[in-house]
Amino acid sequence: MVKKKVFVIGVCLLILGNPRFSYGDDSERIRELERKVEELTRTVNELMARKETAAPAVTEEISEALNEEETTAAPKLTLRGFGHVQYDYSRSDFSDDTAGDTNHFTVGGVDLFMTSQISDKISFLNETTFELEADGVNKLDVERVLLKYAANDKFNVSIGRGHTAMGYWNQTFHHGRWLQTTTDRPAIYRWEDEGGILPVHFVGMEFSGAFVDMPGGTLSYVANLANGRGKIADEVKLVEDNNDSKMAGGMLTYKPAAVEGLGFGANYMHDTIPARAGTANRGGEIDENLSGAHIFYLKDPFEVILEGQLVNHFNHATGVRDETVGSYGQLAYKMGKYKPYVRFDWLNISDRDPFFEGLVEDETSHTLGIRYEVATFNALKLEYRHIDKDNSQSSEAVIQSSFAF
């Protein structure tokens, strides 16, 4: 208000000093000045009124724009990665009295791990590996791609490609070697394209959750409804299914509150494997029932993991039922930056099962190693392994540097 009065007085002084308003008659000059002052006062009042009404509107528009920008902001992408390099030495003695040894350096490729929080309840996960093949070919492999809706702690649903609900190892350790204590996965959980006997990947839906308020502990679950196996063990059906039957299964894990670090559980899965024309004893479908159990104790400095899986196949072409069994036990003890470990692997493949014929042999292996934490995200592993198979015995030594970035 004071500014308005100063402004009017200043204008009046300018008018009085202007030669255009020099009149001989004082009364006429005064009336003219009064008229000009009234006009200026009305103009000033109109300008002030416009300013007062415009300010709230502009403020409201800015606030709405900021709110709209906040609600429509792009999801934040988080990118992490894993890799490993190693040196391998192997000597093998074969059943035909021949022997051989090899040694080589290996670049383990790059594993990119991406996550994005799309909204409060919707998230996205992708794991893509760039693998280097023995023939020099570089291969890109989308290992996991999942869109997840998290309703609450008790119920989540994901759709895409992920790791099948079977066993502690398959649900905990993914493709980054740095995540696991040892240089490699147990024999029963090898990847499908590396001679694995289990469908460790799925394409379909995953349901998961945990009941933390269970009496005496926490009960968690993971379940799948997905495309079934392909005609051979290393065929993962990415965009179609060979039959109308879907793979269905689940896993339960219970962690008692009384013993910190202890957990145990079981898994079951059913699938129908399609026939494979032109292959002996594969003229009909194979019913597959897979069951397993796991127990672990993970509390520093101890790491104890025991698992077993049973694969039951009923061949409709021959009317024969076959069983394949695999298990492993791993023990590690952490001492500062050092972590010595041992593992025992066992595979017993049914000789009559045409689904595994020519793919894998019976196997027993003993592993001894030590892991050293070079830095927070870099580990050096030294490992020795002795392997007994149907037609050979091998001794292997590995030096591996695995890392996360």
Side-chain angles (χ1 to χ4, degrees):
M1 190 64 184
V2 174
K3 291 182 180 180
K4 183 169 73 174
K5 289 181 178 180
V6 172
F7 176 76
V8 174
I9 293 172
V11 173
C12 291
L13 291 175
L14 288 173
I15 294 173
L16 288 173
N18 194 325
R20 291 172 54 192
F21 297 101
S22 180
Y23 296 94
D25 186 17
D26 291 341
S27 61
E28 182 180 351
R29 185 174 60 180
I30 292 171
R31 285 196 297 272
E32 182 65 19
L33 287 173
E34 289 177 348
R35 185 178 62 81
K36 293 293 183 182
V37 169
E38 289 178 358
E39 290 179 357
L40 288 170
T41 302
R42 285 196 299 271
T43 302
V44 170
N45 288 337
E46 290 176 0
L47 291 173
M48 295 297 293
R50 290 177 185 176
K51 180 181 178 181
E52 292 174 358
T53 56
V58 172
T59 303
E60 185 176 352
E61 289 178 4
I62 294 174
S63 178
E64 290 177 356
L66 289 174
N67 290 335
E68 183 178 357
E69 182 179 356
E70 183 175 329
T71 56
T72 59
K76 183 179 179 180
L77 178 68
T78 301
L79 175 63
R80 295 289 184 268
F82 303 94
H84 70 277
V85 292
Q86 65 187 50
Y87 173 79
D88 297 87
Y89 172 82
S90 175
R91 176 173 177 80
S92 300
D93 295 307
F94 300 98
S95 58
D96 60 358
D97 295 329
T98 60
D101 64 275
T102 62
N103 72 92
H104 55 268
F105 292 96
T106 299
V107 177
V110 177
D111 175 15
L112 295 182
F113 184 76
M114 293 170 277
T115 59
S116 179
Q117 194 67 39
I118 298 174
S119 69
D120 290 343
K121 295 184 179 296
I122 302 175
S123 61
F124 173 77
L125 178 150
N126 170 250
E127 187 174 15
T128 299
T129 59
F130 297 84
E131 301 174 355
L132 309 179
E133 301 295 320
D135 57 2
V137 176
N138 298 333
K139 184 178 72 172
L140 185 147
D141 200 348
V142 179
E143 302 291 356
R144 291 192 291 162
V145 53
L146 291 168
L147 183 65
K148 179 180 178 181
Y149 174 76
N152 49 55
D153 292 340
K154 295 181 175 63
F155 181 75
N156 306 291
V157 59
S158 303
I159 186 167
R161 170 177 164 132
H163 288 166
T164 312
M166 62 172 69
Y168 170 80
W169 192 285
N170 200 49
Q171 283 290 300
T172 305
F173 302 112
H174 301 292
H175 292 263
R177 301 290 181 93
W178 176 82
L179 297 169
Q180 61 199 37
T181 299
T182 54
T183 64
D184 211 346
R185 293 167 69 87
I188 59 172
Y189 290 125
R190 287 178 184 142
W191 306 121
E192 295 95 339
D193 57 359
E194 295 180 1
I197 64 170
L198 302 177
V200 293
H201 288 95
F202 78 91
V203 176
M205 301 185 70
E206 177 184 89
F207 306 91
S208 63
F211 297 88
V212 297
D213 51 357
M214 289 285 293
T218 298
L219 179 66
S220 60
Y221 72 92
V222 185
N224 295 130
L225 180 64
N227 291 341
R229 289 234 212 192
K231 295 180 180 180
I232 56 177
D234 65 346
E235 183 183 7
V236 181
K237 304 305 294 182
L238 299 176
V239 296
E240 61 181 2
D241 203 350
N242 282 334
N243 52 36
D244 292 331
S245 175
K246 293 292 171 281
M247 179 187 77
M251 182 177 81
L252 295 173
T253 300
Y254 181 72
K255 298 179 181 178
V259 184
E260 184 181 356
L262 177 65
F264 52 87
N267 61 271
Y268 175 78
M269 188 203 78
H270 174 76
D271 189 21
T272 300
I273 300 171
R276 188 184 185 192
T279 302
N281 300 321
R282 289 293 307 277
E285 293 181 327
I286 298 175
D287 289 335
E288 180 175 62
N289 291 286
L290 194 155
S291 55
H294 59 276
I295 182 170
F296 57 86
Y297 178 73
L298 306 169
K299 187 176 188 303
D300 281 345
F302 297 101
E303 175 184 295
V304 181
I305 311 173
L306 301 169
E307 294 197 67
Q309 298 288 346
L310 170 65
V311 181
N312 184 295
H313 283 169
F314 179 74
N315 192 331
H316 286 269
T318 62
V320 174
R321 186 176 299 276
D322 297 302
E323 288 187 343
T324 290
V325 185
S327 65
Y328 78 93
Q330 180 170 307
L331 172 65
Y333 186 86
K334 188 175 182 180
M335 300 180 293
K337 291 187 175 183
Y338 296 90
K339 192 176 186 181
Y341 57 87
V342 294
R343 188 169 75 198
F344 172 76
D345 286 270
W346 177 63
L347 272 180
N348 184 17
I349 309 297
S350 173
D351 296 332
R352 302 178 305 178
D353 195 336
F355 188 70
F356 294 131
E357 185 176 0
L359 174 69
V360 65
E361 303 176 69
D362 291 347
E363 179 179 328
T364 301
S365 66
H366 299 80
T367 302
L368 176 66
I370 186 168
R371 172 180 174 136
Y372 173 70
E373 303 297 332
V374 179
T376 304
F377 298 105
N378 179 217
L380 182 66
K381 307 172 188 179
L382 283 73
E383 192 171 286
Y384 170 80
R385 185 184 306 116
H386 182 78
I387 305 172
D388 286 315
K389 293 186 177 181
D390 289 340
N391 300 306
S392 66
Q393 289 188 353
S394 302
S395 294
E396 301 177 353
V398 181
I399 302 175
Q400 181 187 91
S401 179
S402 59
F403 53 91
F405 59 91

